[in-house]
Amino acid sequence: MELDLLPLGLPSDNERPFVIAGPCSAETEEQVMTTARQLADKGCHMFRAGIWKPRTKPGGFEGNGEKALPWMQQVKKETGMLTATEVATPEHVELALKYGVDILWVGARTTANPFAMQALADSLRGIDVPVLVKNPVNPDLELWIGALERINGAGIKRLGAIHRGFSSYDKKIYRNLPMWQIPIELHRRIPNLPIACDPSHIGGRRDLIAPLCQQAMDMGMDGLIVESHCNPEQAWSDASQQVTPDVLDYILSILNIREEVQSTEPLAALRKQIDEIDNELIDILGKRMRICREIGQYKKEHGLTVVQTSRYSEILDKRGAQGQLLGISADCVKQIFESIHEESVNQQIEIINK
Ligand code: PEP
Ligand code: MN
């Protein structure tokens, strides 16, 4: 399905990026107003705050709900910033619009649910408001596009996407894996759809915000949505990933905005995908080596030999056949696995001799 889109029309000093900043949650009137004033002083044009918070477990702070909406009105009145919040149900949409919220976004958990997306879309019919749809929690581009199609199908033309990373069981550096190839592919599929990056929910850590913002700019993304709080350590949700307006201003000031890679330049886009895949390859090899070292420890404790020939032949046979099915010569697969095996053996020998 072709999307029928109009420019988002969000304010920004330069062409790129547009920036939406504000706390994860609207906690108190004072926290909202203090943060908003500080952001406005730094020249920020759009203020975000969660009014309804989707929490992984019950019992956490689930947002103030309607009570916090007058605070958003106050932000707009006093600072002139546009306001943005997450909506997950038709009731949220109705209330947010009733209090004049300017920009709505759909959270990652909601995007993953087509029933919820359709209900949201139906509640937006006939309304002209910019809507930003976060990627679903799971790395499923079709589900993301389907959610965008539902909202667009309801007549919302000022539509954008937010890349906030993808949930994974094996959390290492990132709270949510960026998997940049997915937003890149979204851009290839729907070139005129603006995409913003949410480095806060990808990184999960303050110190990752700056490098992720830069990476998003290098990927040609159009905007940033960053969590910023007047007192991040004391935040009621996502404390570890929020930065003060001061720090955010510094992060934005050192961004290096390079000329956007033209989408008519297919080679550059494909190379980005290759870089991303190479990153993943190294990551996966690292994981494999970690497990090899665990096996080494087990072999040491149980007096087993490092090289077990039958296991080695089994790996070579299986992977050789699998490679051939994917158009890689059996010889190439053999060479790759010989190198990997050699490094694994070396690492295990080191452990056994320790
Ligand atoms: C948020 O923006 O605070 C939020 C809950 O994000 P996500 O839907 O990406 O988890
Ligand atoms: Mn958050």
Side-chain angles (χ1 to χ4, degrees), residues 77-98:
K77 192 167 144 217
E78 195 185 306
T79 69
M81 283 190 285
L82 299 184
T83 55
T85 201
E86 171 177 347
V87 289
T89 67
E91 191 202 355
H92 295 166
V93 171
E94 192 192 319
L95 283 169
L97 296 174
K98 178 173 148 198

PDB file of all heavy atoms in Angstrom, residues 77-98:
ATOM      1  N   LYS A  77       1.508  27.293  26.911  1.00  0.00           N
ATOM      2  CA  LYS A  77       1.134  28.687  27.116  1.00  0.00           C
ATOM      3  C   LYS A  77       2.350  29.517  27.530  1.00  0.00           C
ATOM      4  O   LYS A  77       2.593  30.611  27.017  1.00  0.00           O
ATOM      5  CB  LYS A  77       0.058  28.737  28.218  1.00  0.00           C
ATOM      6  CG  LYS A  77      -0.620  30.070  28.317  1.00  0.00           C
ATOM      7  CD  LYS A  77      -1.879  29.988  29.184  1.00  0.00           C
ATOM      8  CE  LYS A  77      -2.017  31.275  29.976  1.00  0.00           C
ATOM      9  NZ  LYS A  77      -2.543  31.038  31.322  1.00  0.00           N
ATOM     10  N   GLU A  78       3.133  28.950  28.444  1.00  0.00           N
ATOM     11  CA  GLU A  78       4.229  29.751  29.003  1.00  0.00           C
ATOM     12  C   GLU A  78       5.467  29.787  28.105  1.00  0.00           C
ATOM     13  O   GLU A  78       6.152  30.803  28.026  1.00  0.00           O
ATOM     14  CB  GLU A  78       4.590  29.189  30.384  1.00  0.00           C
ATOM     15  CG  GLU A  78       5.427  30.154  31.176  1.00  0.00           C
ATOM     16  CD  GLU A  78       5.886  29.557  32.496  1.00  0.00           C
ATOM     17  OE1 GLU A  78       5.030  29.078  33.271  1.00  0.00           O
ATOM     18  OE2 GLU A  78       7.112  29.565  32.741  1.00  0.00           O
ATOM     19  N   THR A  79       5.777  28.671  27.427  1.00  0.00           N
ATOM     20  CA  THR A  79       7.046  28.613  26.669  1.00  0.00           C
ATOM     21  C   THR A  79       6.837  28.670  25.165  1.00  0.00           C
ATOM     22  O   THR A  79       7.791  28.887  24.434  1.00  0.00           O
ATOM     23  CB  THR A  79       7.809  27.302  26.970  1.00  0.00           C
ATOM     24  OG1 THR A  79       7.064  26.210  26.383  1.00  0.00           O
ATOM     25  CG2 THR A  79       7.984  27.062  28.450  1.00  0.00           C
ATOM     26  N   GLY A  80       5.627  28.406  24.715  1.00  0.00           N
ATOM     27  CA  GLY A  80       5.373  28.378  23.273  1.00  0.00           C
ATOM     28  C   GLY A  80       5.811  27.081  22.609  1.00  0.00           C
ATOM     29  O   GLY A  80       5.639  26.926  21.394  1.00  0.00           O
ATOM     30  N   MET A  81       6.377  26.175  23.389  1.00  0.00           N
ATOM     31  CA  MET A  81       6.771  24.900  22.783  1.00  0.00           C
ATOM     32  C   MET A  81       5.528  24.091  22.409  1.00  0.00           C
ATOM     33  O   MET A  81       4.499  24.154  23.097  1.00  0.00           O
ATOM     34  CB  MET A  81       7.609  24.063  23.767  1.00  0.00           C
ATOM     35  CG  MET A  81       9.040  24.521  23.900  1.00  0.00           C
ATOM     36  SD  MET A  81      10.039  23.326  24.832  1.00  0.00           S
ATOM     37  CE  MET A  81       9.481  23.630  26.492  1.00  0.00           C
ATOM     38  N   LEU A  82       5.637  23.304  21.332  1.00  0.00           N
ATOM     39  CA  LEU A  82       4.591  22.336  21.031  1.00  0.00           C
ATOM     40  C   LEU A  82       4.728  21.185  22.017  1.00  0.00           C
ATOM     41  O   LEU A  82       5.821  20.906  22.498  1.00  0.00           O
ATOM     42  CB  LEU A  82       4.728  21.813  19.602  1.00  0.00           C
ATOM     43  CG  LEU A  82       4.625  22.831  18.466  1.00  0.00           C
ATOM     44  CD1 LEU A  82       4.681  22.120  17.119  1.00  0.00           C
ATOM     45  CD2 LEU A  82       3.331  23.640  18.581  1.00  0.00           C
ATOM     46  N   THR A  83       3.610  20.502  22.288  1.00  0.00           N
ATOM     47  CA  THR A  83       3.680  19.404  23.254  1.00  0.00           C
ATOM     48  C   THR A  83       3.382  18.065  22.563  1.00  0.00           C
ATOM     49  O   THR A  83       2.661  18.016  21.564  1.00  0.00           O
ATOM     50  CB  THR A  83       2.666  19.621  24.394  1.00  0.00           C
ATOM     51  OG1 THR A  83       1.373  19.797  23.813  1.00  0.00           O
ATOM     52  CG2 THR A  83       3.030  20.836  25.216  1.00  0.00           C
ATOM     53  N   ALA A  84       3.976  17.013  23.114  1.00  0.00           N
ATOM     54  CA  ALA A  84       3.809  15.672  22.542  1.00  0.00           C
ATOM     55  C   ALA A  84       3.639  14.652  23.651  1.00  0.00           C
ATOM     56  O   ALA A  84       4.270  14.765  24.712  1.00  0.00           O
ATOM     57  CB  ALA A  84       5.045  15.317  21.707  1.00  0.00           C
ATOM     58  N   THR A  85       2.776  13.684  23.411  1.00  0.00           N
ATOM     59  CA  THR A  85       2.657  12.595  24.385  1.00  0.00           C
ATOM     60  C   THR A  85       2.292  11.282  23.709  1.00  0.00           C
ATOM     61  O   THR A  85       1.872  11.256  22.551  1.00  0.00           O
ATOM     62  CB  THR A  85       1.647  12.937  25.507  1.00  0.00           C
ATOM     63  OG1 THR A  85       1.926  12.098  26.640  1.00  0.00           O
ATOM     64  CG2 THR A  85       0.200  12.704  25.080  1.00  0.00           C
ATOM     65  N   GLU A  86       2.466  10.201  24.471  1.00  0.00           N
ATOM     66  CA  GLU A  86       2.136   8.866  23.948  1.00  0.00           C
ATOM     67  C   GLU A  86       0.658   8.563  24.146  1.00  0.00           C
ATOM     68  O   GLU A  86       0.112   8.798  25.217  1.00  0.00           O
ATOM     69  CB  GLU A  86       2.966   7.797  24.679  1.00  0.00           C
ATOM     70  CG  GLU A  86       2.518   6.385  24.336  1.00  0.00           C
ATOM     71  CD  GLU A  86       3.362   5.286  24.985  1.00  0.00           C
ATOM     72  OE1 GLU A  86       4.449   5.574  25.521  1.00  0.00           O
ATOM     73  OE2 GLU A  86       2.916   4.116  24.929  1.00  0.00           O
ATOM     74  N   VAL A  87       0.041   8.029  23.085  1.00  0.00           N
ATOM     75  CA  VAL A  87      -1.343   7.567  23.206  1.00  0.00           C
ATOM     76  C   VAL A  87      -1.390   6.075  22.874  1.00  0.00           C
ATOM     77  O   VAL A  87      -0.727   5.607  21.962  1.00  0.00           O
ATOM     78  CB  VAL A  87      -2.292   8.331  22.256  1.00  0.00           C
ATOM     79  CG1 VAL A  87      -2.480   9.759  22.732  1.00  0.00           C
ATOM     80  CG2 VAL A  87      -1.779   8.321  20.817  1.00  0.00           C
ATOM     81  N   ALA A  88      -2.176   5.348  23.669  1.00  0.00           N
ATOM     82  CA  ALA A  88      -2.272   3.907  23.444  1.00  0.00           C
ATOM     83  C   ALA A  88      -3.706   3.439  23.257  1.00  0.00           C
ATOM     84  O   ALA A  88      -3.939   2.315  22.819  1.00  0.00           O
ATOM     85  CB  ALA A  88      -1.623   3.163  24.611  1.00  0.00           C
ATOM     86  N   THR A  89      -4.668   4.308  23.594  1.00  0.00           N
ATOM     87  CA  THR A  89      -6.083   3.931  23.465  1.00  0.00           C
ATOM     88  C   THR A  89      -6.869   5.118  22.893  1.00  0.00           C
ATOM     89  O   THR A  89      -6.410   6.264  22.981  1.00  0.00           O
ATOM     90  CB  THR A  89      -6.704   3.587  24.845  1.00  0.00           C
ATOM     91  OG1 THR A  89      -6.744   4.794  25.626  1.00  0.00           O
ATOM     92  CG2 THR A  89      -5.911   2.537  25.601  1.00  0.00           C
ATOM     93  N   PRO A  90      -8.055   4.856  22.348  1.00  0.00           N
ATOM     94  CA  PRO A  90      -8.880   5.961  21.866  1.00  0.00           C
ATOM     95  C   PRO A  90      -9.162   6.992  22.963  1.00  0.00           C
ATOM     96  O   PRO A  90      -9.231   8.191  22.701  1.00  0.00           O
ATOM     97  CB  PRO A  90     -10.174   5.260  21.418  1.00  0.00           C
ATOM     98  CG  PRO A  90      -9.733   3.876  21.041  1.00  0.00           C
ATOM     99  CD  PRO A  90      -8.634   3.533  22.013  1.00  0.00           C
ATOM    100  N   GLU A  91      -9.278   6.525  24.193  1.00  0.00           N
ATOM    101  CA  GLU A  91      -9.534   7.467  25.294  1.00  0.00           C
ATOM    102  C   GLU A  91      -8.346   8.419  25.477  1.00  0.00           C
ATOM    103  O   GLU A  91      -8.518   9.622  25.709  1.00  0.00           O
ATOM    104  CB  GLU A  91      -9.788   6.678  26.590  1.00  0.00           C
ATOM    105  CG  GLU A  91     -10.326   7.539  27.701  1.00  0.00           C
ATOM    106  CD  GLU A  91     -10.091   6.934  29.088  1.00  0.00           C
ATOM    107  OE1 GLU A  91      -9.592   5.784  29.193  1.00  0.00           O
ATOM    108  OE2 GLU A  91     -10.391   7.642  30.067  1.00  0.00           O
ATOM    109  N   HIS A  92      -7.126   7.880  25.353  1.00  0.00           N
ATOM    110  CA  HIS A  92      -5.943   8.749  25.431  1.00  0.00           C
ATOM    111  C   HIS A  92      -5.980   9.818  24.331  1.00  0.00           C
ATOM    112  O   HIS A  92      -5.678  10.983  24.565  1.00  0.00           O
ATOM    113  CB  HIS A  92      -4.650   7.932  25.274  1.00  0.00           C
ATOM    114  CG  HIS A  92      -4.400   6.954  26.366  1.00  0.00           C
ATOM    115  ND1 HIS A  92      -3.461   5.948  26.256  1.00  0.00           N
ATOM    116  CD2 HIS A  92      -4.964   6.811  27.602  1.00  0.00           C
ATOM    117  CE1 HIS A  92      -3.444   5.235  27.374  1.00  0.00           C
ATOM    118  NE2 HIS A  92      -4.353   5.733  28.201  1.00  0.00           N
ATOM    119  N   VAL A  93      -6.343   9.377  23.114  1.00  0.00           N
ATOM    120  CA  VAL A  93      -6.387  10.314  21.986  1.00  0.00           C
ATOM    121  C   VAL A  93      -7.367  11.435  22.304  1.00  0.00           C
ATOM    122  O   VAL A  93      -7.061  12.628  22.171  1.00  0.00           O
ATOM    123  CB  VAL A  93      -6.813   9.591  20.684  1.00  0.00           C
ATOM    124  CG1 VAL A  93      -7.074  10.603  19.567  1.00  0.00           C
ATOM    125  CG2 VAL A  93      -5.755   8.579  20.254  1.00  0.00           C
ATOM    126  N   GLU A  94      -8.550  11.049  22.759  1.00  0.00           N
ATOM    127  CA  GLU A  94      -9.588  12.041  23.027  1.00  0.00           C
ATOM    128  C   GLU A  94      -9.124  13.043  24.079  1.00  0.00           C
ATOM    129  O   GLU A  94      -9.265  14.264  23.905  1.00  0.00           O
ATOM    130  CB  GLU A  94     -10.847  11.300  23.498  1.00  0.00           C
ATOM    131  CG  GLU A  94     -12.077  12.156  23.531  1.00  0.00           C
ATOM    132  CD  GLU A  94     -13.221  11.469  24.275  1.00  0.00           C
ATOM    133  OE1 GLU A  94     -13.408  10.244  24.079  1.00  0.00           O
ATOM    134  OE2 GLU A  94     -13.898  12.167  25.062  1.00  0.00           O
ATOM    135  N   LEU A  95      -8.528  12.527  25.161  1.00  0.00           N
ATOM    136  CA  LEU A  95      -8.097  13.421  26.244  1.00  0.00           C
ATOM    137  C   LEU A  95      -6.937  14.311  25.798  1.00  0.00           C
ATOM    138  O   LEU A  95      -6.925  15.507  26.060  1.00  0.00           O
ATOM    139  CB  LEU A  95      -7.689  12.591  27.473  1.00  0.00           C
ATOM    140  CG  LEU A  95      -8.865  12.042  28.281  1.00  0.00           C
ATOM    141  CD1 LEU A  95      -8.380  11.022  29.303  1.00  0.00           C
ATOM    142  CD2 LEU A  95      -9.596  13.196  28.977  1.00  0.00           C
ATOM    143  N   ALA A  96      -5.955  13.703  25.099  1.00  0.00           N
ATOM    144  CA  ALA A  96      -4.791  14.495  24.667  1.00  0.00           C
ATOM    145  C   ALA A  96      -5.251  15.656  23.781  1.00  0.00           C
ATOM    146  O   ALA A  96      -4.812  16.798  23.947  1.00  0.00           O
ATOM    147  CB  ALA A  96      -3.793  13.604  23.935  1.00  0.00           C
ATOM    148  N   LEU A  97      -6.173  15.361  22.857  1.00  0.00           N
ATOM    149  CA  LEU A  97      -6.642  16.410  21.951  1.00  0.00           C
ATOM    150  C   LEU A  97      -7.476  17.453  22.702  1.00  0.00           C
ATOM    151  O   LEU A  97      -7.380  18.648  22.449  1.00  0.00           O
ATOM    152  CB  LEU A  97      -7.427  15.810  20.788  1.00  0.00           C
ATOM    153  CG  LEU A  97      -6.603  14.902  19.862  1.00  0.00           C
ATOM    154  CD1 LEU A  97      -7.502  14.246  18.827  1.00  0.00           C
ATOM    155  CD2 LEU A  97      -5.470  15.680  19.178  1.00  0.00           C
ATOM    156  N   LYS A  98      -8.252  16.964  23.660  1.00  0.00           N
ATOM    157  CA  LYS A  98      -9.089  17.881  24.459  1.00  0.00           C
ATOM    158  C   LYS A  98      -8.219  18.940  25.147  1.00  0.00           C
ATOM    159  O   LYS A  98      -8.602  20.092  25.266  1.00  0.00           O
ATOM    160  CB  LYS A  98      -9.870  17.059  25.494  1.00  0.00           C
ATOM    161  CG  LYS A  98     -10.751  17.862  26.420  1.00  0.00           C
ATOM    162  CD  LYS A  98     -11.606  16.941  27.303  1.00  0.00           C
ATOM    163  CE  LYS A  98     -11.860  17.578  28.664  1.00  0.00           C
ATOM    164  NZ  LYS A  98     -12.294  16.586  29.659  1.00  0.00           N
TER     165      LYS A  98
END
